[in-house]
Amino acid sequence: MTDRMRRADDGRDPCTGCPALDGRRQFLRNAAVLAVGALAALGAAPDEARALPVRFISALGAHATQKSYAIPTADSVNIDKDAGVIIARYQAQVFAFSLSCPHQNTALRWNDAEHEFQCPKHHSRYTPDGLFIDGRATRSMDRFAVTRSGGNIVVDLDTLYQEDDNPAQWKAAVLHV
């Protein structure tokens, strides 16, 4: 009978003191400490590191040029590549943006580390609510006209507001939640 079997017979845990198990526990403990330390070094709390997750979505329904999407329940960026629409919830507001950069129509991307939209072609940058920060673009992200229908946001793909052409309607193209 081996030492391990004898220990199991006398009621003790046969894995106690096992180098492989202790090594795995230590590795997981070290990995968790390292992850928390990295977030702290970057100045991000764990909740902030998860903020505004990106999801790829499809419309729940469509009627002519209108598409319906569920209103996000938390701050997030949702992209419908097929329709060219970004649904963003940020600080109790929901926006529907064109996926195209207003500068040269390159598909915008969400940069989670910087909490901003960016154009990969000429590096224009935008806040989560679509305001222009800097880069080659000359205006903020284009917003679609939106209405609310129950728990959904209805996006009119035929009505796109540009901040410089129609500032009042551009500012009004938002749902407050």
Side-chain angles (χ1 to χ4, degrees):
M1 182 182 268
T2 66
D3 286 341
R4 179 168 278 201
M5 292 170 81
R6 266 188 231 106
R7 281 187 295 215
D9 286 343
D10 67 8
R12 289 185 287 158
D13 181 3
C15 292
T16 300
C18 177
L21 186 60
D22 289 342
R24 190 174 351 187
R25 286 182 182 144
Q26 186 62 38
F27 170 78
L28 292 173
R29 195 174 10 250
N30 290 344
V33 168
L34 182 62
V36 170
L39 289 171
L42 293 171
D47 288 340
E48 292 172 335
R50 302 191 291 269
L52 293 177
V54 176
R55 292 183 356 188
F56 292 96
I57 60 171
S58 295
L60 299 173
H63 179 67
T65 61
Q66 296 185 341
K67 297 220 178 231
S68 180
Y69 301 91
I71 293 176
T73 57
D75 286 357
S76 61
V77 173
N78 303 284
I79 300 171
D80 181 347
K81 283 185 174 184
D82 294 336
V85 175
I86 299 171
I87 304 295
R89 178 175 173 152
Y90 178 67
Q91 295 183 344
Q93 297 178 338
V94 181
F95 307 92
F97 302 112
S98 170
L99 183 58
S100 299
C101 179
H103 178 236
Q104 288 189 342
N105 297 322
T106 301
L108 294 167
R109 296 184 183 156
W110 175 252
N111 180 335
D112 197 44
E114 299 295 324
H115 252 67
E116 63 191 22
F117 291 101
Q118 292 181 344
C119 177
K121 188 170 184 179
H122 292 117
H123 311 291
S124 292
R125 301 175 349 170
Y126 307 88
T127 62
D129 55 355
L131 291 171
F132 175 69
I133 300 171
D134 65 23
R136 289 211 180 152
T138 58
R139 67 176 189 266
S140 296
M141 293 169 61
D142 297 335
R143 290 182 182 173
F144 286 107
V146 294
T147 55
R148 185 179 195 143
S149 177
N152 295 335
I153 179 172
V154 179
V155 179
D156 183 349
L157 298 179
D158 272 351
T159 309
L160 188 65
Y161 300 120
Q162 296 177 355
E163 180 191 34
D164 55 348
D165 286 344
N166 209 329
Q169 288 182 311
W170 186 87
K171 284 181 185 177
V174 59
L175 293 182
H176 299 278
V177 291

